[in-house]
Amino acid sequence: MNLGTAAARTALVLLLLCLVSCATGSGVYKDIDRGVNTGAYGNALAAMDDPKTAGVLYPPRNEILYRLDRGMIEHYADQWTDSSADLEEAERQIEAAYTKSISQEIGTFILNDNVRDYQGEDYEDLYLNVFNALNYYHRGNTEGALVEIRKVNEKLRFLQDKYEVASEKITNANPNLAGSDYTTEAVSFSNSALARYLSLLFFRSIGDADSARIDLNELYRAYELAPAVYYNDPPSSLKDELVIPDGKARLNVMGFIGLSPVKEEVNLWLPLPLPYPNNRARLALPVMIDRPSAVNSVEVVISGGQRFKLELIEDISGVARETFKAKYGLTLLKTTARTIAKSITSAGIAGAAKRRDENLGALLGLFGRIATELSESADLRISRYFPGRVFVGGIDLDPGLYTVTVNYYGARGLISSEHRNNIEVAGDKLNLTEFVCLK
């Protein structure tokens, strides 16, 4: 086989693989999105399993995405048991994927990250436990809920050095990166106020006042440690959470607002010490993009006239961006190593051909560069149905049944309202109810 034929076949394979592995456009989610945005969660779940879209959105390599998306929609639909099953399977697969990836990251630089199994984002791995804790609470299993919250805290401790270790392995295994100054950015998010809030409510419900007090202190500490994430003041209702007046019952309300970020591709150009046209290469990298919500404030109205504001406790979108910083450094490192290797191969083939035929060498060099660029695409996979922000609040009431209305306000006034009838508020248990507005 001559050099021209070999290069052409290599480039063709790269191009075909690129077309197969290109990221899925957001338009194919429209039926699922419509169901989620309108609260028709059954329709959204049915759309997920429609054969026309399931194979495109959720092929086997996207199994974790399928479990995350389905588990979150099931949670919004009050399908607590089904949601737990999917979120727990997602967690199991994320753990297995990470264990396997330690070796794969070193040698898998052939094409791009889209061809491998999706491994999950760090914020997804954290918040699946938060929502599974709520699943356990709604199923009457407070101990199970507390186990899920403990997992969040353990994962946050592990996150601090996760990418530093992986970056060292990749750098040491790739001689093309020798002398490069690629570093991963440290994760400054180490304590979740939302997880601490739920934990203190769960501990309060079982009469463990000391543990609840510790969680409240840790909640305030979370705000101090991560001002980039916690740019707001802690909710004012927190000061009343540990002491409920005699004869009263406390109603706690959570509001899940908007949707978590998606990803878009950006391109960087890397200069290389190689002959033209392989003297520079395109790096295709993913960046987090917020999906702004129309909701600015949330008000709760209780039958009887009492009303109070829900206040922001956690910006999940902010946590997603913050935890992505460290992974971005690792992605940049891998993409650079892979792109350099492809460019060196292309320049080598072109150089060998050029010694025999000047024109053929120039053509193969250009063809190789085009093939390298076409074969690179950023991995834009990410779950779509975690909320963007979480608001909380509470009020002390006489025990009884209440109608609760939640009003969502935007820049031009009331956007929508949600009503719940016959909500029981009892003095001997945790009375926690959730409202959802993903607009």
Side-chain angles (χ1 to χ4, degrees):
M1 183 184 297
N2 63 45
L3 288 170
T5 303
R9 289 187 177 179
T10 300
L12 180 60
V13 170
L14 288 172
L15 176 58
L16 291 174
L17 286 174
C18 176
L19 294 174
V20 170
S21 63
C22 283
T24 301
S26 60
V28 293
Y29 285 95
K30 65 181 188 305
D31 291 335
I32 307 174
D33 288 349
R34 185 182 302 113
V36 169
N37 291 334
T38 60
Y41 302 120
N43 293 344
L45 292 170
M48 284 188 69
D49 291 328
D50 188 323
K52 292 182 296 184
T53 57
V56 176
L57 299 177
Y58 304 110
R61 67 177 181 275
N62 290 353
E63 176 70 13
I64 288 174
L65 275 183
Y66 174 79
R67 296 292 182 175
L68 290 171
D69 285 350
R70 191 171 188 85
M72 289 306 302
I73 296 173
E74 288 166 338
H75 181 86
Y76 301 140
D78 298 348
Q79 298 177 16
W80 318 122
T81 300
D82 291 340
S83 177
S84 280
D86 280 317
L87 294 179
E88 287 168 6
E89 178 61 19
E91 182 179 35
R92 186 193 69 77
Q93 291 191 28
I94 288 171
E95 182 177 356
Y98 175 74
T99 302
K100 184 169 60 175
S101 75
I102 294 301
S103 59
Q104 287 182 340
E105 299 290 11
I106 297 174
T108 308
F109 298 116
I110 297 173
L111 186 61
N112 60 57
D113 287 339
N114 287 290
V115 299
R116 68 176 184 177
D117 292 346
Y118 181 67
Q119 299 178 2
E121 293 295 333
D122 293 305
Y123 90 94
E124 295 168 341
D125 194 26
L126 294 170
Y127 287 108
L128 69 83
N129 293 118
V130 170
F131 283 92
N132 205 22
L134 288 167
N135 288 335
Y136 275 103
Y137 159 72
H138 289 298
R139 290 154 59 191
N141 186 344
T142 303
E143 183 54 43
L146 284 168
V147 168
E148 293 299 307
I149 296 299
R150 283 195 288 272
K151 289 182 180 180
V152 176
N153 297 329
E154 291 168 0
K155 289 176 181 178
L156 282 168
R157 285 191 291 271
F158 172 70
L159 188 58
Q160 297 308 300
D161 60 1
K162 173 181 177 181
Y163 291 110
E164 183 178 351
V165 173
S167 295
E168 288 178 358
K169 288 180 178 291
I170 292 174
T171 302
N172 294 337
N174 285 272
N176 293 329
L177 295 175
S180 301
D181 185 22
Y182 289 98
T183 59
T184 55
E185 188 170 342
V187 179
S188 65
F189 182 69
S190 60
N191 205 350
S192 168
L194 176 58
R196 294 294 183 178
Y197 175 77
L198 289 175
S199 186
L200 79 86
L201 294 184
F202 297 148
F203 278 125
R204 188 189 72 193
S205 72
I206 61 176
D208 190 342
D210 288 339
S211 294
R213 189 175 299 105
I214 290 171
D215 275 314
L216 182 59
N217 291 335
E218 287 295 318
L219 192 161
Y220 285 121
R221 186 166 172 265
Y223 276 76
E224 297 172 0
L225 293 175
V229 173
Y230 299 110
Y231 48 82
N232 55 295
D233 293 328
S236 59
S237 61
L238 294 174
K239 65 182 186 303
D240 301 318
E241 293 299 347
L242 296 186
V243 180
I244 301 173
D246 291 340
K248 294 287 186 178
R250 189 158 182 85
L251 172 66
N252 289 98
V253 181
M254 302 182 70
F256 300 118
I257 308 299
L259 288 165
S260 54
V262 291
K263 294 177 186 174
E264 289 185 1
E265 181 176 289
V266 297
N267 294 318
L268 300 178
W269 290 96
L270 179 69
L272 297 173
L274 298 172
Y276 177 85
N278 302 117
N279 58 334
R280 73 171 188 158
R282 179 178 66 90
L283 305 180
L285 297 164
V287 294
M288 288 273 191
I289 302 295
D290 282 344
R291 290 186 280 179
S293 170
V295 176
N296 293 335
S297 63
V298 187
E299 179 190 49
V300 179
V301 181
I302 309 295
S303 53
Q306 303 100 318
R307 59 181 63 214
F308 59 96
K309 294 280 190 180
L310 295 188
E311 298 172 275
L312 179 65
I313 190 169
E314 193 132 299
D315 182 347
I316 291 180
S317 294
V319 173
R321 293 192 305 272
E322 180 63 30
T323 54
F324 184 69
K325 286 180 181 179
K327 186 174 183 179
Y328 177 85
L330 181 63
T331 301
L332 175 60
L333 186 67
K334 291 190 303 177
T335 303
T336 301
R338 182 174 62 232
T339 303
I340 290 175
K342 291 177 184 178
S343 297
I344 290 175
T345 300
S346 175
I349 293 174
K354 188 174 182 180
R355 288 191 290 271
R356 296 168 53 187
D357 185 316
E358 183 82 18
N359 292 331
L360 177 61
L363 179 62
L364 291 181
L366 180 61
F367 197 29
R369 173 173 165 175
I370 293 172
T372 296
E373 291 183 4
L374 288 175
S375 69
E376 281 295 324
S377 63
D379 186 356
L380 305 184
R381 292 174 294 178
I382 192 170
S383 61
R384 293 179 60 86
Y385 303 112
F386 282 95
R389 293 173 294 163
V390 184
F391 289 70
V392 299
I395 188 172
D396 296 325
L397 300 168
D398 293 325
L401 296 177
Y402 292 87
T403 297
V404 177
T405 300
V406 173
N407 297 321
Y408 305 100
Y409 294 94
R412 298 184 178 180
L414 183 67
I415 295 175
S416 64
S417 296
E418 187 177 358
H419 309 274
R420 298 268 182 88
N421 298 319
N422 298 320
I423 290 182
E424 181 184 15
V425 182
D428 58 350
K429 67 183 186 71
L430 171 61
N431 308 291
L432 175 62
T433 187
E434 304 172 32
F435 290 83
V436 181
C437 182
L438 302 178
K439 298 178 180 178

